[in-house]
């Protein structure tokens, strides 16, 4: 009974970002990073190089970030039909991006503290080992960056073919860029210190790198936080929706909420009062051009007061 009507009224709750290509490439980057990390820790222990050891353990923080990225993809896909999530698992990848941004901030803080300490108490540097580490790190990160770059352009959401933001992948890519930047600054500082005797240059470059990475981390946190906190859509888009509804008959919106259900999809609850009520599908049809609205709930209230009319 009512089966056809029910099927027509039911709305999709799958807002998960699908990016199998990026997930596969992230696994390659994770494998490459783990191999490099283990090799540097073993070599540093055997040859007594603090530079090798430090970079090895530094890469461990990025391994954790890539694991977060892969876990977010897997968890979101496995639980997208789980009724325990009211609007699906579209925010899981955003949460992964937020967690990785925090990890990126921790890396920047560690770099800053270490750099300040070295600026106050300069350490003797093993230039040959340190430059070797920096070059190895740069090569690994350039390969990783090529693997991850622009894969977000191939991502799509269920039922939607156009490109979307993948904060989860962006966070992983930023970790790779952060490591590459660290390696480049280290090479410049080490060459300057080795040939000019400027030992302070190493610590200064570390502080500059920490500042840049902090800016990246804060930017990613600002992008992901509104999604996680049910942030609304921009005012112009919201106003256009209201104008569209209220330009039809004598409709007036009395309650209106739009919020993120994923990085790229929004849900809306719209309560309308009108003296000429129509079926809800009429009001939804008015909003077909607003393709950022993926889940719409309409409440229609009849007004018998003459003041409701224009």
């Amino acid at each position: 009974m009512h089966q056809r009507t029910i099927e027509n009224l039911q709305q999709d709750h799958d807002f998960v970002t699908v990016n199998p290509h990026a997930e596969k490439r992230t696994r390659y980057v994770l494998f490459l990073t783990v191999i490099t990390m283990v090799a540097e820790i073993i070599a540093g222990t055997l040859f007594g190089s603090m530079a090798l050891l430090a970079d090895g353990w530094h890469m461990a923080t990025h391994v954790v970030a890539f694991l977060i990225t892969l876990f977010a993809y897997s968890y979101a896909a496995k639980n997208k039909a789980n009724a325990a999530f009211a609007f699906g698992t579209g925010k899981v990848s955003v949460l992964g991006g937020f967690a990785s941004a925090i990890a990126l901030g921790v890396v920047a803080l560690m770099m800053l503290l270490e750099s300040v300490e070295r600026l106050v108490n300069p350490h003797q540097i093993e230039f040959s080992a340190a430059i070797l580490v920096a070059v190895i790190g740069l090569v690994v990160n350039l390969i990783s960056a090529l693997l991850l770059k622009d894969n977000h352009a191939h991502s799509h959401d269920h039922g939607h073919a156009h490109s979307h933001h993948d904060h989860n992948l962006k966070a992983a890519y930023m970790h790779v860029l952060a490591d590459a930047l660290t390696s480049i600054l280290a090479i410049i500082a080490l060459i300057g210190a080795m040939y000019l005797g400027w030992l302070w240059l190493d610590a200064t470059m570390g502080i500059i790198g920490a500042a840049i990475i902090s800016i990246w981390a804060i930017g990613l946190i600002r992008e992901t936080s509104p999604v996680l906190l049910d942030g609304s859509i921009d005012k112009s888009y919201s106003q256009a929706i209201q104008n569209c509804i209220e330009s039809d008959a004598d409709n007036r919106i009395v309650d209106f909420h739009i919020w993120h259900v994923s990085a790229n999809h929004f849900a809306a609850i719209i309560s309308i009062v009108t003296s000429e009520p129509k079926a809800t599908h009429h009001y939804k049809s008015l909003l077909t051009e607003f393709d950022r609205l993926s889940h719409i709930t309409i409440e229609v209230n009849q007004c018998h007061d003459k003041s409701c009319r224009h």
Side-chain angles (χ1 to χ4, degrees):
M1 186 177 181
H2 310 309
Q3 187 60 36
R4 182 172 295 179
T5 301
I6 291 172
E7 289 177 356
N8 289 335
L9 291 174
Q10 285 178 330
Q11 299 189 63
D12 189 14
H13 295 93
D14 181 6
F15 307 120
V16 175
T17 298
V18 179
N19 202 345
H21 187 64
E23 186 175 356
K24 184 178 180 181
R25 291 299 182 91
T26 303
R27 292 184 188 278
Y28 293 154
V29 171
L30 173 63
F31 181 74
L32 186 62
T33 304
V34 168
I35 292 295
T36 307
M37 177 192 74
V38 172
E40 286 186 349
I41 290 173
I42 292 174
T45 303
L46 292 176
F47 303 123
S49 171
M50 196 61 213
L52 278 168
L53 274 174
D55 198 65
W57 288 115
H58 173 75
M59 293 192 82
T61 61
H62 298 299
V63 169
V64 172
F66 298 142
L67 288 172
I68 291 172
T69 300
L70 292 171
F71 174 78
Y73 280 133
S74 175
Y75 188 87
K78 287 180 180 178
N79 291 277
K80 64 182 181 180
N82 190 336
F85 298 94
F87 285 92
T89 52
K91 291 185 179 180
V92 171
S93 66
V94 182
L95 181 59
F98 179 84
S100 289
I102 297 297
L104 202 62
V106 170
V107 169
L109 180 60
M110 291 169 60
M111 284 178 60
L112 177 62
L113 294 175
E114 176 68 17
S115 298
V116 170
E117 196 276 331
R118 284 178 176 261
L119 197 60
V120 176
N121 300 304
H123 294 194
Q124 188 61 41
I125 302 173
E126 296 180 25
F127 291 108
S128 56
I131 291 174
L132 175 63
V133 170
V135 170
I136 292 173
L138 180 59
V139 170
V140 170
N141 285 297
L142 288 177
I143 294 172
S144 298
L146 288 173
L147 287 170
L148 295 179
K149 182 173 170 51
D150 290 336
N151 279 324
H152 62 278
H154 302 289
S155 67
H156 62 279
D157 289 315
H158 182 73
H160 300 263
H162 49 328
S163 297
H164 292 286
H165 297 294
D166 186 346
H167 293 107
N168 199 32
L169 177 63
K170 184 175 181 179
Y173 184 58
M174 279 190 168
H175 274 272
V176 169
L177 289 184
D179 235 5
L181 174 67
T182 303
S183 298
I184 292 171
L185 292 176
I187 291 170
I188 294 171
L190 290 167
I191 291 175
M194 184 168 62
Y195 290 105
L196 302 173
W198 297 349
L199 294 179
W200 54 267
L201 192 58
D202 183 54
T204 303
M205 287 297 187
I207 293 172
I208 293 171
I212 295 172
I213 294 169
S214 294
I215 292 170
W216 291 349
I218 291 170
L220 189 55
I221 288 171
R222 284 178 174 170
E223 283 184 34
T224 54
S225 294
V227 182
L228 297 174
L229 296 173
D230 294 339
S232 189
I233 208 162
D234 54 271
K235 288 185 178 180
S236 60
Y237 200 90
S238 177
Q239 187 61 52
I241 293 171
Q242 185 168 345
N243 293 342
C244 181
I245 293 288
E246 294 190 340
S247 64
D248 175 66
D250 69 338
N251 305 331
R252 285 293 178 271
I253 293 177
V254 294
D255 198 25
F256 186 21
H257 301 281
I258 300 180
W259 71 97
H260 278 279
V261 288
S262 77
N264 315 294
H265 295 276
F266 291 83
I269 294 178
I270 306 173
S271 182
I272 301 168
V273 62
T274 178
S275 60
E276 304 172 23
K278 297 181 176 64
T280 55
H281 67 78
H282 167 75
Y283 303 100
K284 287 184 179 180
S285 69
L286 297 174
L287 302 175
T288 51
E289 65 180 274
F290 298 96
D291 59 355
R292 295 171 71 184
L293 298 182
S294 301
H295 193 286
I296 304 172
T297 302
I298 301 285
E299 178 187 69
V300 184
N301 304 280
Q302 186 169 13
C303 178
H304 300 286
D305 191 330
K306 290 183 180 180
S307 64
C308 291
R309 299 179 179 274
H310 289 286

